[in-house]
Amino acid sequence: MGNNMDLDYEMFCYQCEQTANGKGCTRLGVCGKTPEIANLQDLLIYQVKGISCYGKVLSELGHPIEKAVIAFIESVLFTTLTNVNFDAEVHVQLLQESQKIKDSLREKVSASEGSSNLHDSDYCSCHTAQAQYRLPSTKSEMLHDAPIAGIMYDKSLDPDIRSLRQTILYGLKGISAYGHQARELGYCSDQVDSFYITALESLTDDRLTVEELIRMTMRTGEAAIEVMKVLDEANTSVYGNPSPHTVNVHIRKGPFIIVSGHDLKDLEMLLRQTEGTGINIYTHGEMLPSHGYEGLKKYPHLVGNFGGAWQDQQKQFDGIPGCILMTTNCLMRPRESYKDRIYSTNVVGWEGVKYIPKKPDGTKDFSEIIRHALELGGFTQDVEPHEIIVGFGHHATLSYADKIVQAVESGKLRHFFLIGGCDGARPGRNYYTDFAQLVPKNCMILTLACGKYRFNKMDFGEVAGLPRLLDIGQCNDVYSAIRIATTLADAFNTDVNGLPLSLIISWYEQKAVADLLALLSLGIRNIYLGPELPAFLSPNVLQYLVDTFHLRKITNPEDDIKTCLKQNVQA
């Protein structure tokens, strides 16, 4: 269906920071999502809520949900995260599969011993509209039904209830991205898998109060910490603990493939299959921290990092003589100048972009993209190297714990600033560059996620014999930041809020929502958030976060730095 027909449908989406006018996209997503895709995604979320309603009943009856069903729910949540999948047919296939799963669970509920008691209770989740809904067979009929799944469908819904429900949902979407990465490596958390069902079902329960949904929001943060812990275990068990490593950010002569996203397993498989071919592999975006893992940096043809953050890809990929592999989110509409040479895998997709599937044994065949890269020939000459350092995960950073504590106690190291999170195209994000440059010389900067591309190629020198800028890793490495902070807090006999530490967070999509909820669930206060506050936070919910956690919107770098340092003195 073409874009002109897409615009006949209405949509409403405000899940990302760049949503139109700071209120919501209603004609076309700022991300490139059409009303057709938006409506199919709404219906997919509606369906997994229905699946979870039956899942909760079965769990209460003593019948645990199969991991395959959990993996499906996780994939659906991930597919609907910002900048992941824009292919309508993929959404239709997922919708059809969702109805099969829901029908199967409904039959299991009906056949379960004790299910007759469900009809005698005042409330049963399998009676909700989401559980009872039956998906039609054609895409046009699905789109006709989709408004019932829209965020604003129930005009009478309390705005604070709507706000908290959406906050929980977006946290779940972020969790699903991390859960998917861990599951690809054979790791998962039973706690998180169970929480998908619990939380999604709660979004259908009209009896829940604002207070109860606030508690569920904090539980979502706890689940985010757990899934990041599991992903950290998966990555470090398979590839080793990250350690400091220099990475060239300029190009080298020869054929190449750029790997973007977050998924280390895809990168590893590609590295293995390109050994001896003469192809250079570059990381892009959130894949940069992979250079710190021994199991990946051992490949000599992993030669460097190309470009910057996700929002610059259209310009940086424009007409390049090589191929791109998108492994997770952050896909933008490919320009015609490189659409024929971009490939996707996992849940990523765009209509007309070549897709590399997973085989039954879990492996992938990258031979087509390898042949394509060789045919294109690559760059014709080297550019003089420019190196940056990555690999300061919690294991590496805490190896310097004694030195850091001594530097703080001696006054050589005054304050820590964690400047990290998502990058984006909205004006005002130069705040984070300016902030990093204005941080006093006797302070250390920790950074993670693609927001670091604003300043990670700058030279910040050293403080107390340590680099002033420590790259902790991907956005899921908020877990590393938490580990570092809690260990230092123990060393100083305080809590994280008592540390000389300020968190300056940029957000764009739902992984950042999960990260923020993780920090709030730990009781961490005085977080600076920007460039804009989430549109899905109602005034009352926002006020609760301000009153309870002293959540702050960024203002200007000079004043915010002064406030941070003043709070440190008072603490």
Side-chain angles (χ1 to χ4, degrees):
M1 186 175 294
N3 287 346
N4 290 335
M5 294 184 67
D6 289 336
L7 294 176
D8 293 334
Y9 299 111
E10 294 182 352
M11 66 176 284
F12 183 85
C13 181
Y14 59 2
Q15 68 179 7
C16 85
E17 187 268 338
Q18 290 181 184
T19 194
N21 300 314
K23 295 180 179 180
C25 295
T26 57
R27 293 284 292 167
L28 187 70
V30 172
C31 64
K33 180 167 60 178
T34 63
E36 178 186 52
I37 296 297
N39 277 274
L40 293 174
Q41 290 190 350
D42 287 346
L43 201 55
L44 262 175
I45 295 299
Y46 198 75
Q47 282 286 79
V48 294
K49 288 177 183 175
I51 289 170
S52 297
C53 287
Y54 288 110
K56 181 182 180 185
V57 171
L58 286 168
S59 296
E60 291 173 344
L61 292 171
H63 303 290
I65 308 303
E66 297 176 2
K67 288 294 185 182
V69 173
I70 300 296
F72 176 81
I73 292 172
E74 190 171 71
S75 289
V76 164
L77 288 167
F78 192 10
T79 297
T80 63
L81 189 144
T82 301
N83 288 95
V84 173
N85 198 294
F86 301 81
D87 192 326
E89 294 311 310
V90 169
H91 289 77
V92 170
Q93 291 168 14
L94 288 170
L95 280 162
Q96 292 168 339
E97 181 64 22
S98 73
Q99 189 61 43
K100 292 177 184 177
I101 292 172
K102 193 161 71 169
D103 288 343
S104 173
L105 296 186
R106 182 187 293 116
E107 291 172 5
K108 288 181 179 180
V109 168
S110 299
S112 294
E113 186 176 340
S115 63
S116 58
N117 297 329
L118 299 172
H119 301 286
D120 299 326
S121 62
D122 292 333
Y123 174 82
C124 176
S125 58
C126 63
H127 298 158
T128 63
Q130 293 87 345
Q132 292 296 311
Y133 173 71
R134 291 187 177 274
L135 186 79
S137 58
T138 67
K139 181 171 73 172
S140 60
E141 291 173 313
M142 294 175 193
L143 288 166
H144 180 269
D145 284 357
I148 64 171
I151 295 169
M152 298 297 179
Y153 178 68
D154 183 357
K155 305 295 184 186
S156 65
L157 186 64
D158 182 290
D160 298 332
I161 296 289
R162 190 193 322 274
S163 175
L164 289 165
R165 285 179 175 179
Q166 294 307 122
T167 302
I168 293 165
L169 175 61
Y170 300 150
L172 289 173
K173 290 188 180 190
I175 288 168
S176 75
Y178 301 147
H180 184 277
Q181 283 178 256
R183 206 176 300 270
E184 287 295 300
L185 290 171
Y187 287 73
C188 66
S189 163
D190 291 340
Q191 174 187 330
V192 174
D193 287 355
S194 176
F195 186 72
Y196 285 136
I197 299 294
T198 300
L200 285 167
E201 187 276 338
S202 76
L203 304 183
T204 73
D205 190 346
D206 293 330
R207 301 171 304 162
L208 296 185
T209 64
V210 166
E211 291 73 19
E212 288 170 318
L213 286 171
I214 286 174
R215 287 197 290 272
M216 186 62 71
T217 304
M218 291 301 103
R219 288 184 63 188
T220 306
E222 293 167 3
I225 294 172
E226 171 66 14
V227 78
M228 287 189 284
K229 176 183 176 182
V230 170
L231 179 53
D232 179 79
E233 180 185 0
N235 286 338
T236 57
S237 296
V238 176
Y239 302 113
N241 284 300
S243 58
H245 185 71
T246 57
V247 181
N248 180 28
V249 295
H250 287 170
I251 61 174
R252 287 176 55 173
K253 180 180 178 180
F256 65 91
I257 298 172
I258 297 166
V259 185
S260 190
H262 303 72
D263 199 293
L264 304 188
K265 185 176 181 180
D266 285 320
L267 175 60
E268 179 196 24
M269 286 191 287
L270 182 63
L271 286 167
R272 285 181 177 177
Q273 292 180 38
T274 50
E275 280 189 291
T277 63
I279 292 177
N280 292 324
I281 304 297
Y282 297 90
T283 56
H284 173 264
E286 284 267 53
M287 199 64 84
L288 170 62
S290 61
H291 291 271
Y293 290 90
E294 187 58 44
L296 299 171
K297 65 184 179 183
K298 67 181 182 181
Y299 292 94
H301 60 301
L302 180 61
V303 297
N305 181 253
F306 178 89
W310 67 272
Q311 77 277 0
D312 295 325
Q313 66 187 257
Q314 290 175 319
K315 177 177 63 178
Q316 292 175 345
F317 294 166
D318 194 14
I320 57 172
C323 293
I324 308 109
L325 175 66
M326 302 296 298
T327 66
T328 52
N329 59 307
C330 301
L331 173 65
M332 298 179 72
R333 176 189 289 274
R335 292 181 178 175
E336 291 303 317
S337 63
Y338 65 87
K339 189 175 182 179
D340 66 328
R341 61 198 68 182
I342 188 169
Y343 294 71
S344 70
T345 190
N346 294 323
V347 302
V348 188
W350 193 291
E351 184 179 1
V353 166
K354 303 182 190 77
Y355 180 77
I356 298 174
K358 181 167 65 174
K359 295 191 289 187
D361 65 357
T363 62
K364 297 178 183 179
D365 181 4
F366 290 107
S367 58
E368 183 179 359
I369 190 173
I370 291 171
R371 286 195 300 270
H372 197 170
L374 290 170
E375 290 169 1
L376 289 168
F379 296 119
T380 57
Q381 60 185 12
D382 293 335
V383 174
E384 184 177 352
H386 176 68
E387 294 183 330
I388 61 174
I389 302 178
V390 302
F392 288 96
H394 60 84
H395 183 268
T397 300
L398 291 176
S399 68
Y400 300 107
D402 291 343
K403 191 173 183 179
I404 291 172
V405 170
Q406 184 180 16
V408 173
E409 291 177 338
S410 68
K412 292 180 180 178
L413 179 53
R414 180 183 182 187
H415 200 83
F416 301 90
F417 289 93
L418 174 63
I419 311 173
C422 307
D423 204 0
R426 182 190 290 275
R429 286 184 179 266
N430 58 305
Y431 166 95
Y432 298 96
T433 311
D434 296 341
F435 193 107
Q437 291 178 306
L438 289 171
V439 167
K441 302 296 184 184
N442 59 352
C443 299
M444 181 176 285
I445 301 170
L446 311 177
T447 191
L448 51 78
C450 62
K452 62 174 163 267
Y453 279 103
R454 291 277 165 175
F455 50 81
N456 70 335
K457 296 180 177 69
M458 299 176 181
D459 183 4
F460 288 92
E462 293 187 346
V463 58
L466 295 168
R468 282 188 65 230
L469 178 67
L470 301 184
D471 185 343
I472 298 174
Q474 294 183 344
C475 55
N476 52 276
D477 288 307
V478 161
Y479 175 73
S480 269
I482 291 170
R483 285 281 303 274
I484 293 166
T486 54
T487 300
L488 291 177
D490 290 342
F492 289 111
N493 291 316
T494 185
D495 60 13
V496 172
N497 291 312
L499 285 174
L501 168 68
S502 298
L503 282 71
I504 317 298
I505 306 299
S506 55
W507 84 282
Y508 172 70
E509 39 85 323
Q510 297 80 66
K511 295 198 302 301
V513 176
D515 295 344
L516 177 62
L517 294 182
L519 296 170
L520 297 181
S521 74
L522 292 170
I524 296 175
R525 301 191 299 272
N526 294 309
I527 297 172
Y528 287 74
L529 185 65
E532 299 295 333
L533 296 178
F536 54 81
L537 294 180
S538 67
N540 287 335
V541 170
L542 177 58
Q543 193 60 51
Y544 169 81
L545 296 176
V546 170
D547 292 343
T548 306
F549 301 103
H550 302 168
L551 186 68
R552 301 164 179 263
K553 183 181 181 297
I554 62 171
T555 59
N556 65 77
E558 295 86 353
D559 288 344
D560 288 347
I561 288 175
K562 289 178 183 177
T563 303
C564 291
L565 295 175
K566 183 178 179 181
Q567 288 171 342
N568 179 33
V569 171
Q570 293 173 340

